[in-house]
Amino acid sequence: AIAQKHLIGIKGGASWTNVHTSNFNFDTKSRTGYLVGMTYDYKLTDNFSIGAEVLYGQRGFNIVFVPFDDFGLPISMDVEDTKSKYDYLSIPIKASYSVGNKLFGFGSIGVIPAFLTKAVTVTPPISIFGFTIDETTTEITKDVSRFDLAAFAEMGIGYKFNDTYLLYLSFGYNHSFLTITNDDYFSDSKIRHY
């Protein structure tokens, strides 16, 4: 509620994530996932607040997978994506500014420390000369850097039903400062989530 100083809520939604890379020789496409969790905001004034969230979120990217033989020729015309999936428990810490009363707009900026909970690579099935190699899922959680730190910005609109309940819709963007690579995982590349 806007009149109260402490606001606790539930947050959920869709996410479209990808990576910014250096020295990584693949074109990437975004991964569609979701995020869900709890929010807390403390109203400093009618317009300014600070807060934190605890979110489970899916990040990652897809790479178009075309299998080639020893001569560099494609061995299958079926093109599918190899999926790189990284799931995190994140704790966004934010400062926000809002305008309006019953119908309101807001903007937030902050940082997102995040801890990797699971990482896998999913390779699509391959058909070669009438034989099919099944889809494979490779666990890579132990290989990927376990901590991430990102900056984020969010903006949205909301509606206050009464002093207890409000609903909002927002759009956010975040970009990692840290790379998910290390000596054990694409050591010659820098891969950062966005």
Side-chain angles (χ1 to χ4, degrees):
I2 300 298
Q4 298 174 341
K5 288 197 175 280
H6 301 276
L7 303 172
I8 298 171
I10 299 170
K11 184 175 192 174
S15 63
W16 293 271
T17 62
N18 205 332
V19 289
H20 177 264
T21 64
S22 65
N23 204 24
F24 187 67
N25 297 321
F26 298 101
D27 289 328
T28 62
K29 300 189 313 186
S30 63
R31 175 190 182 195
T32 302
Y34 67 88
L35 61 89
V36 64
M38 301 289 293
T39 67
Y40 171 77
D41 289 282
Y42 179 76
K43 299 287 281 183
L44 298 171
T45 68
D46 286 343
N47 299 103
F48 289 101
S49 64
I50 56 174
E53 302 172 351
V54 176
L55 301 173
Y56 173 81
Q58 298 178 321
R59 301 183 195 172
F61 59 96
N62 297 329
I63 299 171
V64 175
F65 180 74
V66 180
F68 293 95
D69 64 14
D70 292 339
F71 300 107
L73 301 172
I75 56 177
S76 173
M77 296 331 266
D78 298 328
V79 176
E80 294 193 42
D81 291 342
T82 295
K83 298 173 177 75
S84 296
K85 301 178 177 186
Y86 309 89
D87 297 347
Y88 287 88
L89 180 63
S90 61
I91 306 168
I93 301 165
K94 62 186 177 179
S96 302
Y97 181 80
S98 64
V99 293
N101 191 12
K102 196 142 184 98
L103 181 64
F104 62 94
F106 67 92
S108 303
I109 58 171
V111 294
I112 306 174
F115 305 91
L116 183 72
T117 60
K118 184 176 183 181
V120 297
T121 300
V122 180
T123 305
I126 305 168
S127 295
I128 306 170
F129 307 117
F131 297 100
T132 299
I133 300 172
D134 292 334
E135 176 179 278
T136 58
T137 300
T138 306
E139 174 72 36
I140 57 171
T141 306
K142 292 183 291 186
D143 302 325
V144 178
S145 293
R146 302 296 301 262
F147 179 74
D148 188 43
L149 181 65
F152 84 96
E154 177 182 36
M155 59 189 306
I157 59 170
Y159 182 77
K160 179 177 129 180
F161 294 99
N162 54 42
D163 284 341
T164 306
Y165 297 103
L166 58 88
L167 180 67
Y168 69 89
L169 176 66
S170 67
F171 171 79
Y173 176 83
N174 59 275
H175 198 287
S176 294
F177 297 118
L178 305 177
T179 179
I180 61 175
T181 59
N182 55 47
D183 290 341
D184 299 319
Y185 187 71
F186 293 103
S187 60
D188 59 343
S189 300
K190 302 290 183 201
I191 303 173
R192 292 178 176 86
H193 293 292
Y194 72 86

